[in-house]
Amino acid sequence: MPLTALALALAAACVHALWNLLLARARDIEAATAVALVVAVAAFAFPAAAFWQVDRRVWPYLVGSAALELVYFALLAAGYRRAEFSVVYPIARGSAPVLVLVVAVAVLHASTSWQQTAGVALIAGGIVFVRGFRHGMKRSGVAFGLTIGCCIAGYTLIDKYGIRYATPVSYLELSMVAPALVYAAAVASRKGLGALRTEMNLASAVAGLATFGAYALVLAALKLASAASVAAVRETSVIIATALAAVFLKERVGWVRMAGAVAVAAGIGLLSFG
């Protein structure tokens, strides 16, 4: 893997962990998420228009992807408000590729390998460690993480086929417009426009730009290296996010949870190369 591609993939991992952390530490997570989504859609409207290429066959995929992304962001905000970031994020990111693999094997009759089997085992074990063994620990983090992982797996499978009918930046912009507007409208209706105005700050703006920025860095890395190697490095965000949770959110991230995050990242790497 060329050093430039490695640097881009690592940067994508850092940026992805960063925007999730910024939302998780916001005073009003739902309002901050709404602002970040609107900022992202507005900021990347021009690049999407500049590289516009959309076939009409893309629309069924966009509808399905947008619906799942709306649920994804709603659950993400709710999960970060009710559970620990260092539990929700690794489980969500780790369970998604496992679910994609399960669907590919069970429904699409894809073949599997020993690397993928070992990867699933590592992720499963890592999730147990991320969950922790402390008596009385809430299970909501695991529930949110797994449900969010289902959403990620769902729109990943849809996007795999939908991206054939549009340029990546155009596809991403179109898939984000409806979720951003619907979610912002829902938050404004429930909490009032004042809640959105309060979260119109630098952190929310950076989070919004980073949602697309992480994707742009991945695309740049893919031009220089294989998809498997880029995906494996990209998922080091699981480890980065867990470490950031300890530093900035003051969550109790001991060696057990960190070991679990490392196992999840290693498992995803094996799935990528399998």
Side-chain angles (χ1 to χ4, degrees):
M1 188 178 189
L3 286 177
T4 303
L6 176 62
L8 289 168
L10 283 173
C14 292
V15 171
H16 194 277
L18 172 66
W19 75 255
N20 279 269
L21 175 72
L22 289 172
L23 295 182
R25 71 195 302 249
R27 179 174 298 180
D28 186 332
I29 297 177
E30 284 86 355
T33 300
V35 172
L37 289 175
V38 172
V39 167
V41 168
F44 286 87
F46 179 75
F51 296 96
W52 189 263
Q53 185 179 335
V54 177
D55 187 286
R56 60 184 177 84
R57 290 174 290 180
V58 79
W59 291 107
Y61 300 99
L62 283 174
V63 170
S65 182
L68 284 171
E69 287 187 34
L70 176 59
V71 177
Y72 161 74
F73 282 110
L75 287 172
L76 197 70
Y80 289 164
R81 178 166 55 84
R82 300 178 184 178
E84 290 184 298
F85 175 67
S86 57
V87 173
V88 176
Y89 186 92
I91 293 177
R93 300 307 306 179
S95 61
V98 173
L99 293 168
V100 170
L101 177 63
V102 169
V103 172
V105 173
V107 179
L108 305 178
H109 305 293
S111 60
T112 187
S113 65
W114 71 264
Q115 292 100 323
Q116 291 175 327
T117 303
V120 170
L122 265 176
I123 291 171
I127 287 175
V128 172
F129 275 69
V130 166
R131 163 66 175 79
F133 303 98
R134 294 198 303 271
H135 179 69
M137 189 174 182
K138 293 182 179 179
R139 298 178 181 177
S140 59
V142 177
F144 273 111
L146 291 175
T147 308
I148 293 167
C150 289
C151 291
I152 297 172
Y155 68 66
T156 297
L157 287 167
I158 292 173
D159 293 346
K160 178 181 179 180
Y161 297 97
I163 198 67
R164 296 176 297 177
Y165 304 112
T167 54
V169 67
S170 299
Y171 186 93
L172 184 60
E173 176 73 8
L174 287 172
S175 69
M176 290 281 288
V177 169
L181 296 180
V182 171
Y183 188 75
V187 172
S189 175
R190 187 163 63 91
K191 298 188 175 186
L193 289 174
L196 296 180
R197 283 194 293 267
T198 301
E199 292 299 332
M200 288 180 183
N201 51 43
L202 180 60
S204 296
V206 171
L209 294 174
T211 57
F212 274 43
Y215 177 71
L217 288 167
V218 168
L219 290 180
L222 287 172
K223 289 185 177 181
L224 303 173
S226 67
S229 58
V230 170
V233 175
R234 157 70 181 77
E235 292 306 336
T236 56
S237 64
V238 170
I239 302 171
I240 296 168
T242 305
L244 291 176
V247 176
F248 294 100
L249 301 179
K250 307 304 180 184
E251 294 182 2
R252 290 188 292 176
V253 179
W255 71 267
V256 172
R257 186 171 294 176
M258 183 56 72
V262 172
V264 168
I268 296 172
L270 283 174
L271 288 182
S272 300
F273 286 104

